Amino acid sequence: GAVVSQHPSWVICKSGTSVKIECRSLDFQATTMFWYRQFPKQSLMLMATSNEGSKATYEQGVEKDKFLINHASLTLSTLTVTSAHPEDSSFYICSARGGRAEAFFGQGTRLTVV
Amino acid sequence: AQSVAQPEDQVNVAEGNPLTVKCTYSVSGNPYLFWYVQYPNRGLQFLLKYITGDNLVKGSYGFEAEFNKSQTSFHLKKPSALVSDSALYFCAVRGYVTGNTPLVFGKGTRLSVIA
């Protein structure tokens, strides 16, 4: 299957700082990328959908000024958590889709805000 | 609206026995159905999909799933479970195919295969 690389795998940051998470499709062009958040023992919650070169579409209840998403190329999308707080601590997962029906997922990023 | 139900939070099965993880869906139009597996602190791995054609779909690691339109189900199955199959399994659906349409996931079913 297609490969999606997400970096970093885990990050610890201080409250009030910003953290950037990268999602790359390594062997296909991702016309659409999705960002999810997963709480312990729960399913994936869709945060936003982004298309290359366009502004991301955020789900209801997700603060677009706090979770900045950029999809500047067909192989790279980034999620920046701005002014992070402990309640932002979570597991963030990106997903990318190109010409196939299925989406492929990154390895996830464990964010801990202290 | 699209939705997916995985009625079991946990499924326990002995190694070597057949396993079934249940999934039912609700969608307008023809469904695109998927199964993914997640290991601890990892992203999701694609197992298989149903788009059209044969109702029995074969996927990775010996898994298969049967699409049943009348029962709106897409249960995941494997004839002989392995301890290494222990993980969290997600069923997902898309109601129509456009690039922007995200997957809708079930809540997940934790599979535990006991040696």
Side-chain angles (χ1 to χ4, degrees):
Chain A
V3 179
V4 175
S5 177
Q6 188 173 339
H7 178 82
S9 298
W10 58 271
V11 58
I12 302 173
C13 71
K14 292 184 178 180
S15 186
T17 61
S18 295
V19 173
K20 180 183 284 189
I21 302 170
E22 291 189 349
C23 181
R24 295 180 183 272
S25 57
L26 298 185
D27 52 2
F28 69 102
Q29 292 185 325
T31 51
T32 307
M33 285 191 173
F34 308 92
W35 287 93
Y36 294 85
R37 184 173 178 176
Q38 187 178 30
F39 294 97
K41 298 185 179 181
Q42 292 191 27
S43 189
L44 283 73
M45 181 191 80
L46 179 66
M47 298 175 66
T49 301
S50 73
N51 293 296
E52 183 262 341
S54 303
K55 289 184 178 180
T57 301
Y58 290 81
E59 295 298 301
Q60 192 173 8
V62 178
E63 299 176 59
K64 62 180 180 180
D65 293 331
K66 180 168 188 61
F67 298 100
L68 300 178
I69 292 172
N70 183 280
H71 192 168
S73 77
L74 285 171
T75 59
L76 174 64
S77 177
T78 60
L79 166 67
T80 301
V81 183
T82 62
S83 186
H85 291 284
E87 57 264 31
D88 299 325
S89 299
S90 192
F91 193 59
Y92 294 88
I93 308 175
C94 73
S95 170
R97 188 157 71 218
R100 303 185 194 184
E102 66 270 31
F104 295 94
F105 287 78
Q107 306 94 314
T109 297
R110 171 74 58 193
L111 171 63
T112 302
V113 185
V114 299
Chain B
Q2 303 167 101
S3 66
V4 175
Q6 292 181 245
E8 303 153 316
D9 291 336
Q10 175 91 31
V11 170
N12 298 318
V13 64
E15 187 176 30
N17 283 2
L19 69 87
T20 299
V21 182
K22 296 180 180 177
C23 171
T24 58
Y25 65 90
S26 175
V27 69
S28 299
N30 294 323
Y32 281 45
L33 295 156
F34 308 85
W35 275 100
Y36 287 84
V37 60
Q38 184 181 32
Y39 295 96
N41 294 309
R42 303 288 292 175
L44 276 65
Q45 294 180 29
F46 170 72
L47 280 179
L48 51 79
K49 66 183 177 185
Y50 171 82
I51 304 298
T52 186
D54 290 341
N55 289 342
L56 184 63
V57 178
K58 295 187 182 297
S60 305
Y61 312 119
F63 284 94
E64 57 189 29
E66 186 167 12
F67 170 63
N68 188 316
K69 187 173 183 177
S70 62
Q71 297 184 4
T72 61
S73 67
F74 190 57
H75 301 329
L76 181 70
K77 300 180 180 182
K78 187 172 183 180
S80 179
L82 301 172
V83 172
S84 57
D85 292 330
S86 299
L88 186 58
Y89 290 80
F90 289 100
C91 181
V93 67
R94 285 171 63 200
Y96 52 92
V97 181
T98 69
N100 288 352
T101 308
L103 296 175
V104 174
F105 286 90
K107 63 179 181 179
T109 298
R110 187 163 300 281
L111 173 67
S112 180
V113 181
I114 304 162

